[in-house]
Amino acid sequence: MSLLHNTRTRGRRLGVATAAAGLLATLLTAAPAMATPDPGDRGVKGDKVSSGEAAEARSAIKKGEIPGVDEIVHSPNIEHLVNVPKGTLKGTNTDISFQGKYAYSGNYDGFTIYDISNPRAPKTVSQVLCPGGQNDISVSGDLLILSTDSSRSDNSCSSTSQSATIKESWEGIKIFDISDKRNPKYVAAVETACGSHTNTIVPDRRNVYVYVSSYFPSARFPDCQPPHDGISIVKVPRKAPEQSKLVGFPSLFPDGGNPGAPTNPGVTETSGCHDITVLPSKDLAAGACMGDGILFDIENPERPKIIDRVQDNENFAFWHSATFNQRANKVVFTDELGGGGAATCNAEVGPNRGANGIYDIVGKGDKRKLVFRSYFKIDRHQADAEVCVAHNGSLIPVKGKDLMVQAWYQGGISVWDFTDSKKPKEIGYFERGPVTLDRVTTAGPWSTYYYNGHVYSNDIAKGLDVLKINDRRTDPAKRVRLHELNVQTQPDYFEDGDDD
């Protein structure tokens, strides 16, 4: 495949609760990590790039059409403040949550707590060794929820990989007490069907409800049997997390969901959800569920009710994540084309496949519908060795505007505007050049979020990046302050509920 379809400069055009005896976590200091990672926990290196494609990339770098290997480029309105390399957790960096002056960074080997009171100089407070892909992370009060979506020998943090065909194998969520940031304590675990790829919390006064997304069942897996057409809901009592338990598995797809190929070639068959985003202030949730996008009511968090469901069998391969705008009249769904392991930001793939899909929410109550308006995809084409995919992002809270910052793996970070649902546009970017030119490699930002005036990005390979946006269009967001942010549990940024 060719690298670029036109000339670019280095400016880069904008365009079930367990016994305490089984719970063990290791707090890391400066000693080297001793984890034995699961396959795929490190940056994935795939097929070799042909000599011709590698030569083409080198030529493009020489001409200034793409950044050089590990070279940083960005738009004038983006300032890169600092990069904090990985510490003793060397696995793939994943999601991020925030609370006060702390950022909680997920990693396939565990999680890290950073003090970000000075965004230009984050400090590592603690690192917890607890291997188990992908360690998606949420926080609420003194509780931290960690997802395990790799079959393990038991629920402890010293477990090892074990086949899901073995009944005693374990996957699910782990619950930590983070009241002491320097010494998080593992207090409970709940096993869930097919594990926990991601988790989304719906907090209330006494409990934290956890929506657990997982998928890919098999008749060979005793704890992950088909049909797997819903989500696990776990109830975590704030004052007694050791009593956490599974309270339901509601079916979201009574008809089985999108059948995928051969009925819909190129589309992943629906067998669960990848990620769910909730907007508690509006009792709404949006699910990115493999072959389907859904909108549902969560007024009763234990009994979600489907409002509408959509498919895109022409351009969406794998519905990956969802983001509401502040007024809850739009949803942005992302497509993880290539499963996060392929070069998809190029002319051959084009602008619609592997893009974000922007949907308006029209109507009222149970008659609301998701109506497709447009696609958005970065137009900064990447080398054939660079895995590039639409991934995790968040709103930038500006009244009257719909702005996002978003991770694109080796496509970097995009700041974009979808105020006009039909005409989204990029208004800023940050990216690094290829990690290598001779082999397809997974790297770059996994999660990129806006929090209290700064952008925090968890780079799969490079560690934590902190950036600042200097742009009149986003400047009003600097005045918005939150005490806590889990991006998949979207806050009501404006107390009056009106962002016009």
Side-chain angles (χ1 to χ4, degrees), residues 433-460:
V435 173
T436 181
L437 297 177
D438 61 357
R439 189 175 294 274
V440 180
T441 304
T442 296
W446 176 295
S447 299
T448 301
Y449 300 143
Y450 189 94
Y451 177 69
N452 290 357
H454 292 83
V455 173
Y456 298 86
S457 181
N458 226 7
D459 189 287
I460 290 168

Side-chain angles (χ1 to χ4, degrees), residues 36-44 92 108-109 132-133 149-152 160-162:
T36 301
D38 292 335
D41 283 4
R42 301 297 183 251
V44 177
T92 296
Y108 270 66
D109 286 343
D149 191 33
S150 58
S151 187
R152 312 295 297 182
T160 57
S161 296
Q162 181 167 285

Side-chain angles (χ1 to χ4, degrees), residues 110-122:
F111 64 91
T112 299
I113 303 178
Y114 294 100
D115 181 335
I116 54 171
S117 53
N118 180 356
R120 294 178 180 270

Side-chain angles (χ1 to χ4, degrees), residues 168-491:
E168 291 74 23
S169 294
W170 185 92
E171 297 178 79
I173 64 165
K174 297 165 181 167
I175 303 160
F176 289 78
D177 181 332
I178 52 170
S179 55
D180 182 352
K181 305 296 185 291
R182 296 187 177 277
N183 187 31
K185 295 181 179 179
Y186 183 8
V187 295
V190 179
E191 185 171 15
T192 55
C194 301
S196 175
H197 193 71
T198 61
N199 74 79
T200 302
I201 63 170
V202 184
D204 68 14
R205 183 175 299 176
R206 296 182 178 181
N207 306 293
V208 177
Y209 289 96
V210 185
Y211 287 178
V212 176
S213 295
S214 57
Y215 50 93
F216 286 156
S218 171
R220 300 183 300 112
F221 302 157
D223 299 321
C224 183
Q225 292 281 300
H228 186 74
D229 55 7
I231 57 173
S232 297
I233 301 179
V234 176
K235 183 178 181 180
V236 182
R238 290 188 183 277
K239 293 185 177 180
E242 68 279 358
Q243 297 177 14
S244 300
K245 63 180 180 180
L246 184 71
V247 294
F249 188 88
S251 173
L252 303 179
F253 306 97
D255 65 354
N258 197 318
T263 303
N264 297 316
V267 179
T268 304
E269 176 186 0
T270 298
S271 60
C273 291
H274 178 278
D275 212 340
I276 290 170
T277 292
V278 299
L279 190 54
S281 64
K282 304 291 193 296
D283 290 328
L284 273 181
C289 302
M290 306 179 73
D292 297 85
I294 59 175
L295 181 70
F296 55 105
D297 183 309
I298 59 167
E299 183 177 7
N300 182 339
E302 294 189 25
R303 293 178 176 82
K305 182 174 62 174
I306 299 298
I307 298 172
D308 194 27
R309 170 179 146 200
V310 291
Q311 298 176 353
D312 181 347
N313 294 320
E314 181 177 355
N315 287 312
F316 259 50
F318 188 95
W319 296 66
H320 174 273
S321 55
T323 303
F324 288 101
N325 69 334
Q326 174 61 27
R327 295 180 65 194
N329 61 4
K330 300 177 188 177
V331 183
V332 174
F333 288 104
T334 69
D335 177 20
E336 193 178 43
L337 179 66
T344 68
C345 297
N346 50 45
E348 274 68 24
V349 174
N352 295 338
R353 294 177 60 226
N356 297 322
I358 303 167
Y359 287 75
D360 284 354
I361 303 174
V362 300
K364 296 182 179 180
D366 292 345
K367 295 184 179 181
R368 283 172 287 189
K369 297 292 182 182
L370 293 165
V371 179
F372 174 77
R373 295 304 187 199
S374 67
Y375 297 107
F376 171 77
K377 186 177 181 180
I378 60 172
D379 67 354
R380 292 170 285 105
H381 288 183
Q382 308 296 309
D384 293 330
E386 293 182 279
V387 170
C388 178
V389 68
H391 225 244
N392 295 356
S394 75
L395 291 183
I396 302 173
V398 175
K399 282 192 175 184
K401 299 292 183 181
D402 295 325
L403 308 174
M404 273 191 74
V405 60
Q406 185 179 4
W408 285 80
Y409 277 26
Q410 288 195 75
I413 295 166
S414 177
V415 181
W416 62 289
D417 184 334
F418 63 104
T419 305
D420 184 340
S421 300
K422 294 183 178 180
K423 296 181 180 180
K425 59 184 178 181
E426 185 171 73
I427 62 174
Y429 68 87
F430 169 93
E431 68 171 284
R432 290 181 171 90
V435 173
T436 181
L437 297 177
D438 61 357
R439 189 175 294 274
V440 180
T441 304
T442 296
W446 176 295
S447 299
T448 301
Y449 300 143
Y450 189 94
Y451 177 69
N452 290 357
H454 292 83
V455 173
Y456 298 86
S457 181
N458 226 7
D459 189 287
I460 290 168
K462 301 293 185 181
L464 181 71
D465 286 303
V466 186
L467 304 96
K468 189 175 183 180
I469 309 172
N470 299 300
D471 191 299
R472 60 178 177 78
R473 293 166 290 192
T474 61
D475 281 349
K478 296 176 182 178
R479 298 191 293 269
V480 178
R481 286 293 182 267
L482 299 175
H483 172 66
E484 192 170 271
L485 177 63
N486 300 286
V487 167
Q488 287 73 37
T489 305
Q490 288 187 220

Side-chain angles (χ1 to χ4, degrees), residues 8-12 59-67:
R8 300 183 184 275
T9 68
R10 278 210 171 100
R12 305 292 272 163
S59 176
I61 290 171
K62 188 174 181 180
K63 294 176 182 177
E65 295 171 350
I66 65 171

